[in-house]
Amino acid sequence: MAQDMTEKELLKMELDQLKKEVKNERQMVRSEDSIPDTECLLPWQVSKTGKELKEYIESMAGEDPLLKGIPEDKNPFKEKGGCTIS
């Protein structure tokens, strides 16, 4: 879609998106609140949904197979057998 658009159309689309994003309610956050082990204490603004996303991700981390792995007996991609060349 974007390949068929002129530069003017692309810039208008980007401007429309930025107008939508600027309406999002934001809150001030310090780096130490969002990124552990950082020394930077400069405040920056994030969407309020950012805090909700962070809380959700942290609450679901125990069930995340990418973090804790998949038990061998439940892994659908485990190799069924080996190949022997003689």
Side-chain angles (χ1 to χ4, degrees):
M1 175 183 154
Q3 295 94 355
D4 300 334
M5 300 174 78
T6 65
E7 185 175 355
K8 182 179 178 182
E9 291 171 324
L10 289 170
L11 291 172
K12 184 182 180 326
M13 189 170 70
E14 184 177 353
L15 180 63
D16 291 340
Q17 180 63 34
L18 290 172
K19 285 179 180 178
K20 291 176 188 175
E21 290 178 17
V22 79
K23 294 177 185 175
N24 286 344
E25 195 172 338
R26 299 184 183 276
Q27 65 185 16
M28 295 300 288
V29 178
R30 292 187 323 203
S31 294
E32 69 178 11
D33 296 336
S34 58
I35 306 171
D37 302 325
T38 57
E39 296 178 15
C40 179
L41 300 177
L42 297 175
W44 45 289
Q45 291 187 336
V46 294
S47 167
K48 286 197 173 189
T49 57
K51 181 179 179 183
E52 295 168 2
L53 281 170
K54 178 184 171 198
E55 291 169 356
Y56 175 78
I57 290 169
E58 289 174 346
S59 71
M60 300 301 288
E63 300 172 27
D64 191 335
L66 294 175
L67 295 176
K68 73 175 208 175
I70 301 172
E72 286 294 320
D73 59 334
K74 294 182 180 180
N75 186 351
F77 301 105
K78 184 174 116 180
E79 290 189 30
K80 305 291 185 221
C83 177
T84 307
I85 300 175
S86 55

